[in-house]
Amino acid sequence: MAKVLVVDDSETVRSEVSNFLTSQGISVSTAEDGLIGIKAIKSDAELKLVLCDINMPNMDGLTMVEKVREIEEGRRLSIIMLTTERSKTMVERGKKAGIKGWIVKPFNGNNALNGIQKLIAAN
Amino acid sequence: MQSSNELYTQIHVKVLVYDSHPELASILNTAFNECSVQIISDSKKDIFELLDEHSDLGAILISEDPPYFGRDNLFLILKKIRETRPELPIYLRLSDKKCPPLSKKTKELCTDYFNLDELDQLATSVKEKFFQLFYPQPLVNTLRHVSSEALSQLFKNGSIYTDEAYLVNDQIACAEMFSLIPLDASWCRGYMMLEANQEEIRTLLESMIPDRSKEEFNFQTCNALLSEITNIIWGAVRGHEHTEEQPSSQIQIPIVANRDGDRVTFGVSQPCLCFLHSIEITLDGIVRSISLYQKFIFNLTWHPENFNHQTLQSTNFMQPGSFQIFTDR
């Protein structure tokens, strides 16, 4: 079963996204901020995709993506930002770090599912 | 076709009128016409019951000879209002009957007092107190619209109704829970505050995550949802920033919360802009209404001329709920 990590400080978002993806046959793990997200990525080689918020305590999502790119060995994990942010500066920073997509909150599972499945399949 | 901006009326202030004069409401409506006062009146109820029901009042206007209590108890009533709602300006209407003069102590409890033939003066006093900041109507309408839209996106199975904007005093908390998030843009610096009651937030959670039992929704899950609602609306409002540059000023002032009497103050004298959203959710066949107070406190800087009335066009996938995949470069 494909595995996705959801990194978001909001328990509501983690639950909502996890419930939706699980109902679509996707296995989900969660992390509450960027620091915990990095630990989860390091310890789970089975991950196919990460959905990541930007505004989080301890470590923000874009910094997390940049750190993940520094520590990756061989694999290039697909990461999608899931955020209320829409600024061009942030999008460009994300693209530079090699993110695969951008979802503007609130999460709309039906809108996002096709893209998520494509990215999982591409991995 | 009428644009959404044209549908809305002027910002108002809610004033509780506690007076049994039969024509006072219509006289005041005429006198207050220019400064948009919404009169709340129910002389069948005790004044303190009314104050409890209406946490978001701007002011109170009371007769020198108040219903139920009478003139003899005026001092005690005013003193109690001052104690329970110290943020509320009190305007006292002097009786048209011949009465002994009011004591100095009684007068000191009032913000202002007036006769019925001095309503212009009263209207000016109210206007000076509440309309210290100029809020351009298109800006207010845009804030109202994007906030309401963001709630609609979040609660797809609910109906969102948003009242006209009004002004509320600093210092009063309108509900049990509140969230605060900074606003830091070229057009303003301050805070956005959302307030709601916990049981109502729990109802929203039940509607969003129906496969979990009600007992699983505790104060932490309620906090998390209020936080996410705040985040979503904040993101929508930020989509109207004029530039992406951050303001250079980093001036801050403390915000003080006092749990005794549910007080929170942003250290300013001017009232803040408020929207009251009602979210109607049908759960188990019963329609439930959830109130959400959204306040904008522009306590650090206010430059409405810098507000961008159009949604940012810097990227083409800006709508809430949208998803764009990037191709490899």
Side-chain angles (χ1 to χ4, degrees), chain B residues 221-321:
Chain B
T221 48
C222 289
N223 286 354
L225 179 57
L226 186 62
S227 169
E228 194 52 25
I229 299 170
T230 309
N231 196 24
I232 298 285
I233 297 179
W234 181 70
V237 170
R238 289 184 71 197
H240 289 265
E241 287 176 10
H242 198 63
T243 67
E244 299 200 359
E245 291 167 17
Q246 293 298 308
S248 55
S249 165
Q250 286 306 312
I251 290 167
Q252 289 290 348
I253 55 174
I255 299 158
V256 180
N258 186 329
R259 289 169 61 200
D260 181 24
D262 299 327
R263 309 278 163 209
V264 55
T265 178
F266 295 85
V268 288
S269 62
Q270 74 263 21
C272 55
L273 188 67
C274 182
F275 296 99
L276 175 56
H277 305 279
S278 300
I279 307 166
E280 274 190 7
I281 299 277
T282 305
L283 260 184
D284 305 326
I286 301 165
V287 179
R288 304 184 202 189
S289 182
I290 290 99
S291 296
L292 190 65
Y293 294 89
Q294 179 188 16
K295 293 177 182 171
F296 287 96
I297 303 104
F298 305 120
N299 60 339
L300 297 171
T301 61
W302 176 234
H303 299 291
E305 66 280 7
N306 291 340
F307 185 76
N308 185 2
H309 296 284
Q310 303 301 316
T311 308
L312 277 179
Q313 297 299 317
S314 53
T315 56
N316 59 2
F317 58 97
M318 288 301 178
Q319 294 310 308

Side-chain angles (χ1 to χ4, degrees), chain A residues 85-86 89 100 102 104, chain B residues 238 244 318 321 324 326 328:
Chain A
E85 294 291 350
R86 311 185 227 185
T89 313
K100 293 288 185 182
W102 199 281
V104 182
Chain B
R238 289 184 71 197
E244 299 200 359
M318 288 301 178
Q324 181 159 324
F326 303 133
D328 285 331

Side-chain angles (χ1 to χ4, degrees), chain A residues 7-118:
Chain A
V7 186
D8 200 304
D9 58 325
S10 164
E11 190 192 337
T12 314
V13 174
R14 293 197 305 271
S15 289
E16 192 188 6
V17 177
S18 299
N19 286 354
F20 176 78
L21 294 178
T22 306
S23 74
Q24 301 301 318
I26 297 168
S27 170
V28 179
S29 57
T30 62
E32 291 141 47
D33 62 41
L35 280 180
I36 300 170
I38 287 180
K39 279 184 194 164
I41 290 166
K42 274 184 182 173
S43 64
D44 192 344
E46 301 298 312
L47 280 178
K48 298 286 183 193
L49 178 71
V50 177
L51 289 172
C52 184
D53 187 17
I54 289 183
N55 293 310
M56 295 185 288
N58 300 322
M59 183 187 285
D60 70 85
L62 285 173
T63 304
M64 186 199 90
V65 175
E66 288 159 354
K67 299 270 181 203
V68 167
R69 295 306 182 216
E70 285 171 16
I71 58 170
E72 276 178 329
E73 289 168 2
R75 70 171 172 168
R76 182 87 168 166
L77 192 57
S78 290
I79 302 176
I80 298 170
M81 306 316 292
L82 170 61
T83 177
T84 57
E85 294 291 350
R86 311 185 227 185
S87 90
K88 198 173 177 179
T89 313
M90 286 203 185
V91 175
E92 285 306 316
R93 189 176 156 201
K95 281 182 175 177
K96 200 175 164 190
I99 59 162
K100 293 288 185 182
W102 199 281
I103 297 174
V104 182
K105 284 183 179 178
F107 179 70
N108 182 331
N110 293 326
N111 275 1
L113 183 61
N114 192 29
I116 288 172
Q117 284 172 333
K118 274 183 187 167

